[in-house]
Amino acid sequence: MTMIFAGLILIMLDINVDIYMLRFELLPDFVGFALLFLGMRGLASKSKYFRSALPVDAVLFVGALCEWVFLAIGLVQASSDAVTFFDTVENLCMFYLTFCAVQTLVDLEKESGYHFDAVRLKKVWLCWLAVSAVVLVDLLFINIVIANTSGLWGLAVIALTCADLAVVVLFLFYFYRSKEKYEYFF
């Protein structure tokens, strides 16, 4: 579970350096996907969710590696449609991968009788999913219907993005606590 948590941290924290037209991601997502893969592979015998998530994670690893290389050498720009599309697909797949991790903890908690606080973690995950969906719908509405981010809509995007960040931090906090409790018993 520690590798899964470390992978989630690397994927969810985006620290970029822009030099002219080149972008360097200091915490590359592909390293996070590699850690996720190794962590899930180690627990695949205990979880059907991890077995089904491994191919998704492998595809995301290859895609994130290609994106990182293409951005680093300037083959594509960070604002390109291809990068935006891949990042959107990556974010949607992250909900699936995190669901697999959360549901595994919930199932292991039920099977073992030990308390990992997995039910609360799942509630926080559902809250994160809901907030992210609202952010996505709001951004699509602004980009398609309004075509600008000024005024109240811009403030709404900022407020929702801050709420999304807060829920992500809360999810990582509860995931860490559940991971620690899991590792204590196993």
Side-chain angles (χ1 to χ4, degrees), residues 1-18:
M1 282 290 176
T2 298
M3 282 205 272
I4 294 171
F5 179 72
L8 290 175
I9 291 287
L10 287 175
I11 294 166
M12 292 181 183
L13 289 178
D14 285 330
I15 301 174
N16 301 315
V17 174
D18 292 326

Side-chain angles (χ1 to χ4, degrees), residues 112-178:
S112 68
Y114 298 124
H115 183 64
F116 308 139
D117 210 14
V119 173
R120 181 179 299 179
L121 175 64
K122 189 169 183 178
K123 289 177 183 176
V124 172
W125 180 86
L126 287 168
C127 182
W128 174 34
L129 180 66
V131 170
S132 294
V134 170
V135 169
L136 180 64
V137 168
D138 191 42
L139 287 173
L140 287 173
F141 179 75
I142 289 171
N143 287 335
I144 294 171
V145 176
I146 299 174
N148 70 38
T149 56
S150 63
L152 291 176
W153 290 110
L155 291 175
V157 168
I158 292 170
L160 287 171
T161 303
C162 290
D164 191 43
L165 176 64
V167 175
V168 166
V169 169
L170 192 63
F171 170 77
L172 288 172
F173 171 75
Y174 279 110
F175 189 87
Y176 178 79
R177 284 184 51 190
S178 294

Side-chain angles (χ1 to χ4, degrees), residues 39-51:
M40 288 188 298
R41 189 184 69 186
L43 295 171
S45 63
K46 294 183 179 184
S47 170
K48 65 181 179 183
Y49 296 105
F50 284 158
R51 286 189 296 275

